[in-house]
Amino acid sequence: MSTPIPLIGRIVAVSTRRPAIVVLVAALLTAVAGVYAARHFTMTANTEELISPRIDWRQRVLDFQAAFPQLGGLTMVVVDGKTPELADRAAARLTEALRAKPHLFKSVEQPQGGPFFAQNGLLLPPLAEVRARTEGLARAQPMLAALAADPSLRGVLATLSGGLQGVKYGQVKLADLEPTMTALAETFEKVAAGQPAFLSWRRFLMGTATDLADTRQVILVQPVLQFAELQPGAAASAVIRETARSLGLDPAHGVTVRLTGQVPLADEEFGSLASDADTLMGGMVTALLVILWLSVHSARTVIAMLLTTFIGLVITAAIGLLVIGRFNLISVAFIPLFVGLGVDFNIQYSVRSRAERLTHPKLAGALIAAAGGVGPALALSAAAISVGFFSFLPTTYVGVAELGAIAGLGMVVAFVLTIVLLPALLMVLRPSGTGMAEVGFPMLAPVDTFIQRRRRAVLGVAVAAAVGSLALLPWLRFDFDPLNLKSRTVESMTTLDALADDPEWTPNAISVLAPSLDDAKRLVPRLAALPEVSRTVTLSTFVPTEQPEKLALIGDVAKRLEPVLAVPPRAPPSDAEVQEALSATATALRQGTDEVNNSGAIAARRLADALEKLRGAAPEARAAAASAVDTPLKVLLDQVRAMLKAQPITPENLPRQLVADWVAKDGRVRIQVLPRGGQDEASLRRFALAVQSVAPDATGSPIDTRASGNSVVRAFLEAGVYSLVSITVILVLALRRARDVILTLIPVLLSGLLTFATCAALDLPLNFANIIALPLLFGVGVAFNIYFVLAWRAGETAMLQSSLMRAVVFSALTTATAFGALWLSSHPGTASMGRLLMISLGWELLVTLLVRPALLARPPSFTQ
């Protein structure tokens, strides 16, 4: 252990003799590194690149994406209308508008819309439903004929007046007109009150009730992504929203357009992270400055430490880009890792140098003495932590492997700058040697005495805590659902939650690839028979059964309706004509109903009141009422005209895009399997396992999410084993005594056990976000223990009163307050990382104050 000390001391001596040259060279290196980093900066926000493609489940995902590339990287545009007509019209207009922007969107598809479904959609429901719809259309023939001839507010009122004539002569009951009168009255009352008003004709003219499936349309958009941006799809999403606004697709017009899917979910996650980034960063920097000053009581020393850290960050970033070629969403975490551990190195050296000022009046002498005292510990810590980070390289978690490479190199940079640049900066800035009467913590002398006397009791409590922690570990869980890390208030998440309850669009579907259509036909019954499966969808789903019977029903009603629907409509009415129609219809409604109090008569009088109020309103109000009535009417009339032209459907005449979404170019067929029951984690896990029991190569969110979590956990376990082995080897080579190696590692393991046990007891799961904090916590723990063991070997006895304890405490406080501020983040994943950091560093401090001194209470049995 004597070799590194003079070498590090000589390096510091050179820096202190030529501080200006060292600072100048560092400035030049920083400038070169900064220019290189700026010119070569590349960052990928593609989360799919974070896990190695060599893993089996990733290969299945990539195989599916290669077979159906149009189904990946999607934005789901969810269009909800107050009425089915509004939803259909809005989706069609928005689809057409987005298709006109091919430079922004690779594809724009409306899976349940377009000419094919408009014409043949009535063939897809069961025969009983087709019969009910066609019978409803047949009953509505008189009304359809009248409305087709005059699809305006005038025509609607005239049609209603004709119905009232039928009531007068006993041909129709007033109760039959009650639903129509009530709906019109509600619409006109809202218009008169200046409120948005919307009317659906589907129930009146087709005899079917509306549900969520009728009022919701989904457009699948594959945007051109800019992976060099933090939000790759933000520009495309902004265009979608702006296009919808320009078309008047907003709540004021009865339409809501929301975005979700892979792209908006990722983009809005980064947006939520950035939303409070300024506040968090301000809190971190403030806490960092305050605690750094408290650690050394010298503003100039704090400036030197901050400059050293900043220069190290710039150089590490340039090295990372040189070695890896890019940053990913995880590897950028080298910044907090470098700051946390780099600042620790700086605090260790600065506090020790101020302690040396008590016996070395000259600054240069104190700096050289500090290098001799703490330099070996810093060197060993940097080596051990670097090897620990490099242990992620062999894992399949590419994101963390790249982080490990950059952070490992960063530890080398941090150590070199601590012994080269920091002493030079201190020589240039010349901090005062006064201001701290005591460098250590003399007030902890009674604790030191207590631990010396009650060493066995303290260690016994530590053993009991370790055993208790081990007992709690089975309750430690990993949250496999990445959606739990996202803010539930952003649009993409609220929309996704809404879709989760929609059986047509649940995001928890599973896809199975069958070699051919015949194989798919054999596989579908086995999948459909599973109790966890609600239904399956294949290309065959779009080739309906019982077509002859359905076409016969449609043909019969078409013979009756097509002639009346083909009549050229009257010209739109003038405002005066509308006023006249309003007055005439109001009079007709009151005839014979003033003395009657049944529900039909009440509805008639209510509508008459609304019509009279509308007649006396401004022309704009009547125009709004006309729009609320005739816009959905025209949409429905067009839909009826189209569906009456239904033709036999065969696999050969299905739309090319529809076929491409279900049959790959190599002939493989996609089977979509939808879950039955709850959408919670346990239900989806049972669903995934059930499907995999029939189709082991299936893919989809319920399968891929858990497989991804397993891969991440496995990568960290592998890296943990590699780190433990490699660090143990380094410690054995450096310390050369098994007992000292064990004393170094025991507190690290105890802190880790206590942290995990606390998470288990409080039901704070590990997840994809907070698990990234483990390398920082491991690095801090290893460094602290190396400092104490080497000080113990050097003869230090009163650990709690030493300058080392001051440096360790303030280093831990710096990391805890700076990064513990993440706990305040509105982003759940970031907040969970802050919680884990605070819990772990709290236990680290407790172990530092009590357990480490107890372990090192007896002096080493050999002379240094």
Side-chain angles (χ1 to χ4, degrees):
M1 294 301 297
S2 60
T3 303
I5 298 176
L7 175 61
I8 296 175
R10 288 198 301 270
I11 292 173
V12 172
V14 172
S15 294
T16 56
R17 284 197 299 270
R18 300 287 188 271
I21 294 176
V22 172
V23 172
L24 179 60
V25 171
L28 290 174
L29 283 174
T30 305
V32 171
V35 171
Y36 180 87
R39 290 181 177 178
H40 295 82
F41 181 83
T42 303
M43 178 171 170
T44 177
N46 189 354
T47 56
E48 294 185 353
E49 296 181 3
L50 297 180
I51 296 181
S52 172
R54 301 192 305 270
I55 306 175
D56 288 344
W57 72 267
R58 278 290 294 152
Q59 290 179 346
R60 292 194 293 271
V61 171
L62 293 173
D63 181 44
F64 179 82
Q65 291 175 347
F68 298 97
Q70 72 273 25
L71 300 181
L74 291 177
T75 293
M76 298 178 69
V77 184
V78 181
V79 181
D80 288 310
K82 291 292 185 180
T83 67
E85 297 91 334
L86 287 175
D88 294 344
R89 181 171 179 266
R93 294 174 65 206
L94 185 56
T95 298
E96 182 180 1
L98 296 179
R99 283 176 177 166
K101 307 177 190 296
H103 61 290
L104 289 173
F105 308 108
K106 298 177 184 178
S107 66
V108 180
E109 300 297 333
Q110 191 180 350
Q112 295 180 343
F116 173 79
F117 287 100
Q119 178 176 325
N120 301 302
L122 190 53
L123 291 172
L124 296 176
L127 180 61
E129 185 175 340
V130 176
R131 179 176 288 108
R133 291 192 181 187
T134 53
E135 289 175 352
L137 287 171
R139 286 193 299 271
Q141 179 187 357
M143 184 181 292
L144 282 169
L147 293 174
D150 188 2
S152 66
L153 178 56
R154 176 188 58 197
V156 170
L157 295 174
T159 302
L160 180 60
S161 296
L164 293 171
Q165 286 294 315
V167 173
K168 181 178 180 180
Y169 294 107
Q171 299 170 339
V172 180
K173 294 181 180 179
L174 188 61
D176 295 335
L177 300 179
E178 182 180 345
T180 303
M181 292 188 296
T182 300
L184 288 171
E186 290 176 353
T187 301
F188 296 147
E189 286 168 354
K190 289 181 179 179
V191 169
Q195 301 173 359
F198 313 103
L199 178 70
S200 174
W201 287 98
R202 183 169 297 188
R203 180 160 60 97
F204 307 132
L205 298 182
M206 299 185 67
T208 57
T210 60
D211 55 21
L212 181 62
D214 296 313
T215 58
R216 172 170 292 165
Q217 290 289 328
V218 175
I219 307 170
L220 300 182
V221 178
Q222 191 175 50
V224 176
L225 300 179
Q226 306 295 331
F227 285 115
E229 302 292 335
L230 187 60
Q231 296 173 284
S237 295
V239 170
I240 295 173
R241 293 188 174 98
E242 179 55 36
T243 302
R245 281 193 293 269
S246 68
L247 295 174
L249 307 182
D250 52 44
H253 295 88
V255 177
T256 301
V257 177
R258 297 176 291 171
L259 307 186
T260 188
Q262 301 157 316
V263 175
L265 282 168
D267 286 345
E268 289 191 345
E269 179 172 18
F270 303 138
S272 64
L273 282 169
S275 63
D276 51 9
D278 292 341
T279 302
L280 292 178
M281 186 61 67
M284 288 181 180
V285 171
T286 301
L288 184 65
L289 292 174
V290 170
I291 294 180
L292 285 178
W293 185 85
L294 290 174
S295 68
V296 293
H297 286 263
S298 169
R300 296 187 181 187
T301 303
V302 170
I303 292 172
M305 288 191 286
L306 292 176
L307 285 174
T308 303
T309 303
F310 172 76
I311 290 172
L313 267 179
V314 174
I315 293 174
T316 301
I319 292 174
L321 290 170
L322 178 65
V323 174
I324 304 298
R326 64 165 192 187
F327 294 125
N328 62 56
L329 294 174
I330 292 178
S331 65
V332 293
F334 86 90
I335 297 174
L337 289 178
F338 185 91
V339 171
L341 294 169
V343 166
D344 172 60
F345 290 177
N346 291 337
I347 290 178
Q348 294 295 331
Y349 182 79
S350 299
V351 170
R352 183 59 180 261
S353 68
R354 291 188 70 77
E356 295 292 344
R357 292 294 295 274
L358 299 176
T359 55
H360 296 79
K362 292 186 177 181
L363 177 59
L367 293 173
I368 295 170
V374 78
L378 292 177
L380 184 55
S381 296
I385 297 170
S386 295
V387 168
F389 285 146
F390 288 145
S391 297
F392 283 96
L393 288 174
T395 69
T396 56
Y397 197 4
V398 175
V400 175
E402 293 179 358
L403 169 63
I406 299 171
L409 294 169
M411 291 303 96
V412 177
V413 172
F415 170 70
V416 171
L417 292 180
T418 300
I419 65 172
V420 175
L421 178 60
L422 183 57
L425 286 172
L426 291 172
M427 288 297 295
V428 172
L429 294 172
R430 295 279 176 180
S432 171
T434 60
M436 294 177 65
E438 298 287 349
V439 178
F441 291 127
M443 77 285 291
L444 295 180
V447 181
D448 253 334
T449 303
F450 173 83
I451 292 174
Q452 290 281 349
R453 292 178 177 176
R454 300 287 188 270
R455 174 175 177 271
R456 291 183 180 274
V458 172
L459 293 179
V461 171
V463 170
V467 172
S469 298
L470 284 170
L472 286 172
L473 288 186
W475 282 269
L476 178 67
R477 63 187 181 91
F478 189 92
D479 186 351
F480 291 92
D481 190 353
L483 296 180
N484 291 336
L485 305 182
K486 301 178 187 294
S487 172
R488 288 283 170 182
T489 60
V490 298
E491 179 187 88
S492 59
M493 275 304 302
T494 58
T495 307
L496 191 71
D497 288 339
L499 290 181
D501 297 326
D502 187 340
E504 295 293 327
W505 292 104
T506 174
N508 295 313
I510 289 177
S511 292
V512 177
L513 288 183
S516 66
L517 279 170
D518 290 337
D519 291 301
K521 290 178 180 178
R522 287 191 291 270
L523 188 58
V524 163
R526 296 174 58 198
L527 291 167
L530 296 171
E532 296 82 4
V533 173
S534 63
R535 64 190 181 97
T536 61
V537 182
T538 67
L539 186 66
S540 299
T541 305
F542 302 97
V543 182
T545 59
E546 302 178 297
Q547 288 193 62
E549 295 87 344
K550 295 175 181 177
L551 287 168
L553 292 171
I554 295 172
D556 289 342
V557 76
K559 291 177 183 178
R560 301 173 60 180
L561 294 182
E562 281 184 334
V564 299
L565 294 177
V567 174
R570 291 180 61 184
S574 65
D575 184 60
E577 290 176 309
V578 170
Q579 285 183 293
E580 182 180 348
L582 290 168
S583 178
T585 306
T587 300
L589 286 166
R590 293 193 184 281
Q591 290 178 354
T593 62
D594 285 339
E595 304 300 326
V596 183
N597 286 318
N598 58 42
S599 60
I602 294 172
R605 290 195 296 271
R606 177 186 177 186
L607 178 56
D609 292 340
L611 295 180
E612 289 170 349
K613 189 172 184 179
L614 192 61
R615 182 180 180 277
E620 293 79 12
R622 288 187 290 276
S627 178
V629 168
D630 62 33
T631 297
L633 174 60
K634 293 172 183 176
V635 171
L636 184 64
L637 289 173
D638 287 341
Q639 291 175 339
V640 173
R641 292 186 183 102
M643 70 175 60
L644 294 179
K645 300 182 184 298
Q647 297 294 321
I649 301 176
T650 66
E652 290 73 27
N653 66 8
L654 288 171
R656 183 177 60 181
Q657 184 58 50
L658 179 62
V659 174
D661 286 345
W662 295 94
V663 180
K665 292 181 179 180
D666 60 8
R668 286 182 295 173
V669 176
R670 175 167 73 103
I671 304 171
Q672 187 181 59
V673 189
L674 300 170
R676 182 192 303 276
Q679 303 292 311
D680 57 281
E681 182 179 342
S683 298
L684 292 176
R685 183 168 184 267
R686 288 192 297 270
F687 168 58
L689 292 174
V691 173
Q692 285 183 297
S693 68
V694 175
D697 292 336
T699 64
S701 177
I703 294 172
D704 301 342
T705 297
R706 179 162 291 274
S708 176
N710 288 335
S711 296
V712 171
V713 172
R714 188 180 302 111
F716 272 88
L717 290 175
E718 290 174 357
V721 172
Y722 299 152
S723 297
L724 183 61
V725 172
S726 57
I727 289 175
T728 300
V729 170
I730 288 178
L731 293 176
V732 168
L733 294 175
L735 302 178
R736 299 174 183 249
R737 289 178 63 88
R739 179 191 178 196
D740 295 356
V741 173
I742 293 172
L743 290 175
T744 304
L745 292 176
I746 283 177
V748 179
L749 299 176
L750 178 59
S751 298
L753 283 175
L754 291 169
T755 298
F756 291 144
T758 303
C759 291
L762 300 179
D763 194 27
L764 300 175
L766 297 178
N767 54 52
F768 292 102
N770 62 25
I771 199 170
I772 306 301
L774 295 182
L776 172 61
L777 302 173
F778 183 71
V780 169
V782 168
F784 286 0
N785 284 287
I786 289 175
Y787 301 151
F788 277 100
V789 169
L790 289 187
W792 171 70
R793 286 164 62 103
E796 182 70 59
T797 55
M799 291 288 184
L800 298 184
Q801 304 171 60
S802 66
S803 61
L804 171 60
M805 179 58 71
R806 181 183 189 88
V808 165
V809 167
F810 278 103
S811 176
L813 289 175
T814 300
T815 304
T817 54
F819 299 104
L822 298 174
W823 196 338
L824 304 177
S825 173
S826 60
H827 182 264
T830 303
S832 72
M833 187 184 297
R835 284 193 294 271
L836 183 61
L837 281 164
M838 291 294 286
I839 291 170
S840 179
L841 288 168
W843 284 119
E844 185 66 39
L845 278 176
L846 186 64
V847 170
T848 295
L849 291 170
L850 298 176
V851 179
R852 283 194 187 97
L855 286 171
L856 305 176
R858 292 183 177 181
S861 58
F862 69 99
T863 304
Q864 297 289 318

